[in-house]
Amino acid sequence: SAVISQKPSRDICQRGTSLTIQCQVDSQVTMMFWYRQQPGQSLTLIATANQGSEATYESGFVIDKFPISRPNLTFSTLTVSNMSPEDSSIYLCSVEDRTGPGANVLTFGAGSRLTVL
Amino acid sequence: QQQVKQSPQSLIVQKGGISIINCAYENTAFDYFPWYQQFPGKGPALLIAIRPDVSEKKEGRFTISFNKSAKQFSLHIMDSQPGDSATYFCAARVSSGTYKYIFGTGTRLKVLA
């Protein structure tokens, strides 16, 4: 399965600032997703990162707050904008190929732990 | 309804015992049901998965039982070991229309030595 590198692994940020999380995959993948996991909680899908087009956001998440880029099949970024303490969470990049050996294997990065003061 | 309900929230099992985690869903459009294992500080990792046309799948000590009519599926960990102590998430995938995975609320398993 694909290997995912996420940066940063953790960061402490000030309220009102923005942070961009990078997700690099070692192979070209069809699907890329961004999830949020609050401490001790489940994984909530933020959006699907579509290559070459606007991301598809889930209910409760908007582009102005969580802009996403996906310039190619191996890379994506998630920005958390105008942060508040409620944004403190782990943000996870995940990928899946819809066909081939990587099909049906949703692989996750190690996550980016964000603390907003 | 795109939710997956998972129980119990936490589970303590003696070494060698059987751990059982249950999930239920409503959306009949779900077509794939994986289980993920997550250790602290790590991302979730695929453990085992099943399609709805199969009632049971076994891989080593891990077994998924699937009841399509009841819209329920469960993970059984046989001969549970302290190394199995982790958080387990069931998930369901919808691939018609918007392609995505929905996760259950998680079960924190502790296996006592």
Side-chain angles (χ1 to χ4, degrees):
Chain A
S1 57
V3 177
I4 301 172
S5 299
Q6 261 188 256
K7 285 194 240 184
S9 58
R10 59 177 62 228
D11 207 339
I12 300 173
C13 303
Q14 295 298 319
R15 181 195 301 257
T17 61
S18 297
L19 179 75
T20 296
I21 302 167
Q22 298 181 1
C23 176
Q24 179 72 56
V25 190
D26 69 342
S27 59
Q28 294 185 340
V29 291
T30 314
M31 309 298 296
M32 292 184 79
F33 306 94
W34 286 97
Y35 283 85
R36 182 172 72 183
Q37 185 177 30
Q38 293 176 315
Q41 302 297 315
S42 185
L43 295 89
T44 301
L45 181 62
I46 297 172
T48 302
N50 302 308
Q51 194 259 328
S53 65
E54 201 168 277
T56 304
Y57 288 84
E58 295 299 302
S59 176
F61 298 95
V62 295
I63 187 171
D64 289 346
K65 176 67 175 177
F66 298 100
I68 288 171
S69 78
R70 190 177 174 192
N72 56 53
L73 293 175
T74 65
F75 186 78
S76 178
T77 66
L78 168 73
T79 298
V80 186
S81 303
N82 188 24
M83 289 183 287
S84 68
E86 291 72 34
D87 295 319
S88 297
S89 192
I90 299 170
Y91 293 86
L92 293 150
C93 172
S94 65
V95 303
E96 183 194 353
D97 271 330
R98 293 193 65 172
T99 60
N104 302 326
V105 180
L106 184 67
T107 302
F108 285 86
S112 298
R113 181 182 291 269
L114 177 61
T115 302
V116 184
L117 303 178
Chain B
Q1 184 79 352
Q2 291 197 343
Q3 279 187 345
V4 181
K5 297 181 180 179
Q6 184 172 348
S7 63
Q9 187 174 8
S10 62
L11 183 60
I12 300 175
V13 174
Q14 294 287 337
K15 178 181 177 181
I18 302 173
S19 304
I20 301 175
I21 305 171
N22 301 299
C23 285
Y25 64 97
E26 291 291 329
N27 189 349
T28 56
F30 290 141
D31 63 358
Y32 186 65
F33 300 87
W35 284 87
Y36 283 80
Q37 180 187 56
Q38 184 178 31
F39 293 103
K42 305 290 186 182
L46 179 65
L47 186 62
I48 186 172
I50 197 167
R51 294 187 183 279
D53 54 349
V54 176
S55 61
E56 184 175 282
K57 183 174 182 180
K58 183 176 181 179
E59 290 183 0
R61 296 184 294 109
F62 301 92
T63 299
I64 300 177
S65 297
F66 190 87
N67 186 329
K68 187 174 181 178
S69 60
K71 298 180 189 173
Q72 296 175 348
F73 58 110
S74 60
L75 175 69
H76 292 65
I77 306 174
M78 312 299 289
D79 187 26
S80 298
Q81 298 297 312
D84 297 329
S85 297
T87 300
Y88 293 81
F89 294 95
C90 62
R93 183 188 73 185
V94 58
S95 57
S96 57
T98 304
Y99 189 96
K100 60 184 172 183
Y101 286 77
I102 306 298
F103 282 79
T105 48
T107 296
R108 186 170 295 185
L109 172 66
K110 184 175 178 64
V111 181
L112 302 177

